[in-house]
Amino acid sequence: MLNYIWLGLILAAVLMGGATGHLKELTDGTFDSAQTAVMSVALKLIGIMALWLGIMRLAEKSGLVQVLARGLRPILRLLFPEVPADHPAMGAMVMNMAANMLGLGNSATGLGLRAMQRLERLNPHPGTASNAMCTFLAINTSSIQLIPATAVGILAAAGSTNPTAIIGTALVATSCAAVAAVIAVKFLERLPYFAIPADAATTGPEQAAETVPEEPEPIAPPPMRWWGSLLLAIFTACFIFWFVLDVFYPGTWGRPLPPGATGASPWVRAVSTASTMAIPFFISFISLYAFTRGVKVYEEFVEGAKDGFTVIIRIIPYLVAILVAVGMFRTAGGIDMVAHWLAPVLDRIGFPADLLPIVIVRPLSGGATTGLFTELVKAHGPDSFIARTAGTIMGSTETTFYVLAVYFGSVGIRRTRHAVLAGLTADLTGVVVSFILCKAVFGGA
């Protein structure tokens, strides 16, 4: 399916550019998109990838990933029946989902790429997405996010009287999108059209080496001693204490106010504080846990971080392919044209035409979506129905094609099977539910 979408975007862009006499602008936009894919996206991810791949290696070597997988085994077995219950991929996926819920952005991407590498080692058909990979991607493109921080921040900066009003609607909408994604991916994987092609390669030693290098089975670390448990308990208690202070007693003891703490409810402060503390806690707790299990933390971190550059190099061709096609289509005016065609139809059901560009762009580009949302807020006001609905849509949908390019590109997947359709189903569900909820809650004025 991605073959048809990619070719359709490029051909449509060229035809529209030729018809309107904007081929020069189209050419400039093509080169700009290619440069953006490498210089502004891929290269900026190298450090983040190295950091999180190093941390994930510590989690795996210490046995923490397996502990997480065992704790959520019943749910994970339903979602990923093809993955062994104690496989490291299970714990890696759990950490990625938790990071996504807290809105940790590129940090969640690093954890997700590690999970994808683990799933590729179980994939008997290199280059073709397995059912487990498609399910993981569908969950990622519809990941439940507790607070749509970007949208809330833009509304607050624009002077909204209640910028957090969209948190509830976004949470319900993104939850519905996640359910729709799981249902869609499980249904689609049973259809003959999305079956693994008969000519798909079967894993052999040479093919496995070309995708993700095999690692020796990890040696079980020694049991944690009493002093290790005590140290971890004290360390965790410190974070819990700081969390309680910032949520229920913000600004006490000379501590700075957490982001968004002023005038916010305890629930909003709790999620905001958890998001702020999450990365320092993840990095330090995992490192300390590994140390108490006898892992040589510095050496193992460096060994894991070495993969960061390799992963990004593998991703670049996929990023260039997706971002160039999307950039060409946008430069040629394709998005505006689609919005113009759909406006009369959606007007009949009361869907504002002003929201169409953000709905169309969202699966293609996160940066462009943010720009469109900022323009909507300026044009209609931060407390308008249009602005709040657009913010809810941003918080309940994902840049599906970017996610597919990065995650599948990291392990050399070319045949994406039903992952694209499942991700777009989640996006459509998020848009529909967002509109219905906001019309009911905010009045649709």
Side-chain angles (χ1 to χ4, degrees):
M1 176 173 285
L2 200 54
N3 288 316
Y4 300 119
I5 294 174
W6 185 82
L7 181 61
L9 289 173
I10 289 180
L11 292 180
V14 172
L15 292 174
M16 285 186 291
T20 57
H22 290 95
L23 286 178
K24 183 184 182 304
E25 291 82 352
L26 184 62
T27 301
D28 294 340
T30 301
F31 290 127
D32 287 343
S33 297
Q35 185 177 19
T36 298
V38 178
M39 304 302 294
S40 300
V41 179
L43 292 184
K44 288 185 177 180
L45 284 174
I46 291 178
I48 296 170
M49 291 301 106
L51 169 64
W52 286 107
L53 291 179
I55 292 297
M56 279 302 299
R57 186 176 178 89
L58 294 181
E60 291 168 359
K61 290 291 183 180
S62 65
L64 181 59
V65 168
Q66 289 80 358
V67 171
L68 290 173
R70 284 196 295 270
L72 293 172
R73 182 181 298 174
I75 297 175
L76 294 176
R77 289 296 292 160
L78 288 174
L79 294 174
F80 305 98
E82 306 89 353
V83 181
D86 294 325
H87 195 274
M90 289 293 202
M93 288 188 287
V94 169
M95 296 181 71
N96 166 259
M97 293 173 195
N100 270 323
M101 289 181 70
L102 293 172
L104 300 187
N106 286 333
S107 299
T109 302
L111 297 170
L113 293 183
R114 190 59 170 175
M116 189 61 72
Q117 288 180 331
R118 292 303 186 185
L119 290 175
E120 175 63 9
R121 292 197 177 99
L122 297 172
N123 186 8
H125 305 285
T128 301
S130 65
N131 287 340
M133 287 178 168
C134 291
T135 302
F136 180 56
L137 259 294
I139 292 173
N140 248 274
T141 56
S142 62
S143 181
I144 296 175
Q145 188 174 339
L146 297 179
I147 287 186
T150 301
V152 170
I154 292 173
L155 291 174
S160 172
T161 58
N162 187 13
T164 59
I166 65 170
I167 290 177
T169 53
L171 183 59
V172 174
T174 191
S175 300
C176 293
V179 172
V182 172
I183 293 174
V185 79
K186 292 301 180 183
F187 171 75
L188 292 171
E189 71 182 27
R190 300 174 182 271
L191 299 182
Y193 181 79
F194 294 111
I196 294 176
D199 62 343
T202 302
T203 300
E206 295 180 0
Q207 292 93 332
E210 291 175 1
T211 52
V212 178
E214 278 294 338
E215 293 180 0
E217 286 296 320
I219 300 174
M224 186 180 296
R225 297 186 179 182
W226 66 268
W227 60 265
S229 300
L230 179 62
L231 194 59
L232 285 170
I234 294 173
F235 181 80
T236 304
C238 288
F239 268 87
I240 293 174
F241 178 68
W242 298 334
F243 177 82
V244 171
L245 273 184
D246 286 345
V247 173
F248 298 103
Y249 309 99
T252 55
W253 290 9
R255 296 172 62 81
L257 289 173
T262 306
S265 66
W267 160 251
V268 173
R269 286 201 301 270
V271 177
S272 177
T273 302
S275 299
T276 302
M277 290 184 170
I279 291 178
F281 179 76
F282 277 165
I283 293 174
S284 54
F285 181 85
I286 292 172
S287 301
L288 182 60
Y289 183 90
F291 177 76
T292 60
R293 297 297 299 272
V295 176
K296 297 179 179 179
V297 288
Y298 176 77
E299 296 174 15
E300 294 296 344
F301 175 88
V302 171
E303 201 60 35
K306 288 179 182 178
D307 292 336
F309 188 79
T310 305
V311 169
I312 294 302
I313 293 299
R314 195 181 297 126
I315 288 172
I316 286 176
Y318 298 86
L319 275 177
V320 171
I322 287 295
L323 295 186
V324 164
V326 170
M328 290 176 67
F329 188 70
R330 186 172 65 244
T331 302
I335 291 172
D336 294 334
M337 187 175 294
V338 172
H340 178 73
W341 287 343
L342 292 177
V345 177
L346 296 180
D347 278 344
R348 296 182 180 180
I349 60 174
F351 191 91
D354 290 326
L355 291 175
L356 270 177
I358 205 170
V359 171
I360 297 169
V361 169
R362 181 57 172 162
L364 305 174
S365 170
T369 302
T370 302
L372 287 172
F373 177 60
T374 303
E375 291 175 5
L376 282 178
V377 171
K378 289 180 180 177
H380 297 275
D383 294 323
S384 64
F385 170 72
I386 295 288
R388 286 176 169 175
T389 304
T392 301
I393 290 172
M394 274 189 66
S396 59
T397 54
E398 185 54 272
T399 51
T400 299
F401 289 99
Y402 170 80
V403 172
L404 289 169
V406 170
Y407 279 55
F408 280 151
S410 68
V411 290
I413 295 297
R414 295 177 297 276
R415 292 172 171 171
T416 59
R417 298 177 62 214
H418 52 290
V420 176
L421 187 55
L424 293 178
T425 300
D427 287 337
L428 179 61
T429 302
V431 170
V432 172
V433 175
S434 295
F435 172 65
I436 294 173
L437 281 175
C438 289
K439 199 167 182 65
V441 174
F442 304 127

